[in-house]
């Protein structure tokens, strides 16, 4: 009942520390990454895909070398609860998903996943117990061939100075940076002086 | 010379462990998050914005409770090297950016940031030494008002079963999931049987 190199309890501790709370999706995600690692094609380096931004990317970041900031983890917006690990050179990969057919045996997990109950109606203890009991048993596995170009972060390319804000930005974005083209989420921008260290 | 609750050396160790290598952008990112924390508006809970997917999100994930998976960290595609922490209720925030004018004093950092040298021409030791020497001195700070709706992850909403793959997906995506609508990065999908635990 280990999750990658950790005991179940150690993994729960890491989830609390990194993610801030014991989210059910992150515990399931731990089993998913573990099962993917056990079915990994041969090869020295692998990259990861999470098909949802919710919870699952943190299981990948806790358990593998792949992070958002190093670019080895990509998030694709399919909204499916699935993770793929693949050889970064050949694209040979393994995809693990939450198999809703198998979830019939664990109704509290199914109802959580399919959002059949409001959060206030959920029995969190029962939910977590069923997740632990189900383990790999609620998951499906597929061998897949990944086209890395479709998921990998694009290089930012050459940078130039924005004529509006004065900061460096990727020249491919146009005559000014995307913030100054109107996408900014900021108002009332006021400079603050930085005291010398 | 601390970075948030850690010594400089402790932070470098955490970077290597989480990110896999001592990326210059992640060391600068540590100083940025530290400076943002020192200028944080009052308030109990803050969310984070990284204006680039490269390196900087990992500094946020290492040093704050905000992660991609818990949704408290948002990445906006402006390609500016800047991070913002803001009160999740009021939107009052602080933005820290790499100030290219100040970088004139540290030419190896400037050349790295503006991509003036090929990686093979960089002096990595000099670069890291200048980053450590510069610390907060290469950064600019702004008070900003954030519109959280413009950056926050949207809720996935109700889920239904995809008639093609059979997996659950957000119904707002249409009659089938986005993978099966043609965005898939996968070919040669072959089911693998999962042995019972």
């Amino acid at each position: 009942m280990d999750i990658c190199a950790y005991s179940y309890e150690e993994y729960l501790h890491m989830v609390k520390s990194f993610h801030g709370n014991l989210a059910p999706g992150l515990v399931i995600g731990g089993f998913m990454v573990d099962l993917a690692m056990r079915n990994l094609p041969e090869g020295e380096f692998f990259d990861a895909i999470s098909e949802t931004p919710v919870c699952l990317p943190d299981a990948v970041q806790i358990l593998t070398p792949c992070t958002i900031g190093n670019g080895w983890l990509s998030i694709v917006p399919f909204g499916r609860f699935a993770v793929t690990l693949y050889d970064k050179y050949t694209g040979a990969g393994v995809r693990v998903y939450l198999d809703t057919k198998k979830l019939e045996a664990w109704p509290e997990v199914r109802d959580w996943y399919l959002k059949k109950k409001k959060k206030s109606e959920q029995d969190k203890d029962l939910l977590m117990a069923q997740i632990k009991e189900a383990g790999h048993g609620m998951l499906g596995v597929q061998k897949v061939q990944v086209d890395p170009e479709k998921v990998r972060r694009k290089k930012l390319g050459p940078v130039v100075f924005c004529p509006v804000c004065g900061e460096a930005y990727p020249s491919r974005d146009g005559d000014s940076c995307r913030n100054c083209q109107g996408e900014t989420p900021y108002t009332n921008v006021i400079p603050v002086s930085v005291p010398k260290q």
Side-chain angles (χ1 to χ4, degrees), chain A residues 43-189:
Chain A
E44 206 174 345
F45 295 104
F46 64 88
D47 280 359
I49 301 169
S50 172
E51 296 187 20
T52 172
V54 183
C55 288
L56 199 45
D58 283 358
V60 174
Q61 296 188 113
I62 290 170
L63 293 168
T64 80
C66 307
T67 72
I68 279 293
N70 68 24
W72 303 339
L73 165 62
S74 302
I75 298 173
V76 294
F78 297 165
R80 300 194 299 187
F81 209 76
V83 66
T84 297
L85 303 180
Y86 66 97
D87 183 285
K88 69 197 311 159
Y89 300 113
T90 67
V94 55
R95 178 175 181 270
V96 176
Y97 59 99
L98 196 50
D99 188 332
T100 40
K101 283 185 223 82
K102 295 180 181 174
L103 280 186
E104 293 305 316
W106 296 284
E108 198 69 20
V109 186
R110 181 199 58 204
D111 290 354
W112 164 82
Y113 181 53
L114 299 177
K115 300 187 182 177
K116 298 216 173 188
K117 289 181 181 175
K118 291 181 194 160
K119 208 161 188 177
S120 57
E121 295 167 354
Q122 284 172 2
D123 182 337
K124 180 88 189 268
D125 290 342
L126 180 60
L127 175 58
M128 297 307 275
Q130 288 193 357
I131 289 171
K132 187 176 179 183
E133 191 186 294
H136 294 166
M138 59 188 154
L139 307 177
V141 181
Q142 297 165 335
K143 281 189 188 176
V144 293
Q145 178 65 31
V146 177
D147 179 354
E149 288 310 305
K150 284 201 176 173
V151 295
R152 230 179 245 154
R153 188 169 82 195
K154 303 293 172 286
K155 295 220 172 221
L156 290 182
V159 296
V160 291
F161 294 111
C162 174
V164 184
C165 66
E167 295 179 40
Y169 76 100
S171 60
R172 65 166 187 215
D173 285 349
D175 292 336
S176 60
C177 76
R178 286 177 63 169
N179 176 79
C180 295
Q181 283 178 35
E183 293 182 42
T184 186
Y186 309 122
T187 49
N188 297 331
V189 178

